[in-house]
Amino acid sequence: MRAAKIARSTKETQIEVEVALDGTGASAISTGVGFFDHMLDQLARHSLIDVTLAARGDLHIDQHHTVEDCGIALGQALRGALGDRAGIARYADVLLPMDETLTRVAIDVSGRPFLVFRTQFDKEKIGDFDTDLVREFFQAFAMNAGLTLHVETLYGLNAHHVAESCFKGLARALRAAIEIDPRQKGKVPSTKGTLAG
C-alpha cells in the first residue's frame, strides 16, 4: 500500500498526518476549524485516500497558520506516499457540479509545483472560516505535493458550494491522476523517465 506519515512542528502549529493512497476514503480529521475539517473529510472521501490528520494551531490569532500548515503537511505526505510516481495515470481533470456551482479542476502529478486558482468568493466568511484560506490551502498543498494544479470556478453563488466544489473537484481529479494505470506496466509516465521535478 502506498502510504506515508508526516509530523510537522513549529511555534505556530503541531500537525500529524497519515495518508494511504489505496484506501477507501476513510478520514479522522481534527484541526479546530470546523468548516475546514468538513472540507478535508470531503477531500478524503472523494479521492478514496485514507487521511488521518490532527492539528493544534494558534487559533487565538486566526486560522491562517493552521490551514496553510495542514496544506503543507498533507502535501508532503502525499508526495512521500507517491514515491517515484511509477505506474500512475499522472493527468486528470474533472468538472464538479454542486447545485448552482460548477468548478473545473485539472491536475498533473508532475513533480513541478504550480497553482492557477481562478475562484472568487462574494463573502469573506463561511461561518467563521475565512474564504481567503481556500486558496492558501490549495497553494500550500500543490507546492508541497509537487502538483501542477488548475482550479477554476466557472459559476456559482453560494460560498459554501463554491468552496466545497473546489475540494471535491481536487479529490476526484487526484483520485484519477494517482490511480495505477496497468498499461504503464510500472513505468514512470514521462519521456524523461522521472517525475522528480
Side-chain angles (χ1 to χ4, degrees):
M1 182 176 276
R2 298 174 295 165
K5 188 173 184 178
I6 294 289
R8 174 182 167 83
S9 183
T10 71
K11 292 181 179 179
E12 298 167 341
T13 60
Q14 295 80 47
I15 300 168
E16 292 182 359
V17 59
E18 191 169 355
V19 299
L21 304 189
D22 304 303
T24 62
S27 63
I29 310 290
S30 177
T31 69
V33 182
F35 181 76
F36 186 49
D37 287 357
H38 177 48
M39 293 299 99
L40 294 181
D41 280 335
Q42 297 294 338
L43 179 59
R45 177 66 187 92
H46 292 282
S47 66
L48 296 183
I49 299 171
D50 292 345
V51 179
T52 301
L53 189 151
R56 294 180 311 281
D58 53 3
L59 296 178
H60 62 286
I61 296 175
D62 67 9
Q63 301 170 351
H64 187 283
H65 297 144
T66 298
V67 171
E68 182 178 35
D69 288 6
C70 284
I72 291 169
L74 192 56
Q76 289 173 347
L78 178 68
R79 188 175 203 134
L82 282 167
D84 65 2
R85 304 172 192 224
I88 64 169
R90 180 178 169 180
Y91 293 99
D93 63 273
V94 66
L95 281 170
L96 198 293
M98 184 160 184
D99 297 350
E100 85 297 341
T101 299
L102 185 66
T103 294
R104 175 171 50 211
V105 178
I107 193 168
D108 176 9
V109 186
S110 62
R112 297 185 308 278
F114 199 89
L115 175 68
V116 175
F117 191 83
R118 294 182 177 170
T119 293
Q120 295 182 336
F121 294 92
D122 61 3
K123 292 182 178 179
E124 292 183 2
K125 300 269 191 183
I126 302 170
D128 67 350
F129 181 81
D130 295 327
T131 53
D132 284 349
L133 296 180
V134 175
R135 187 189 190 287
E136 292 301 319
F137 171 81
F138 276 74
Q139 175 78 15
F141 181 70
M143 294 301 111
N144 286 275
L147 307 175
T148 298
L149 179 60
H150 292 244
V151 181
E152 181 177 24
T153 299
L154 304 179
Y155 45 82
L157 298 173
N158 181 288
H160 187 131
H161 295 165
V162 170
E164 192 160 339
S165 70
C166 292
F167 277 87
K168 285 180 174 176
L170 170 61
R172 294 296 296 203
L174 192 59
R175 173 181 171 181
I178 67 172
E179 283 287 319
I180 297 298
D181 180 351
R183 294 178 65 197
Q184 292 282 3
K185 297 183 179 177
K187 295 184 212 166
V188 174
S190 171
T191 55
K192 292 191 292 289
T194 180
L195 289 174

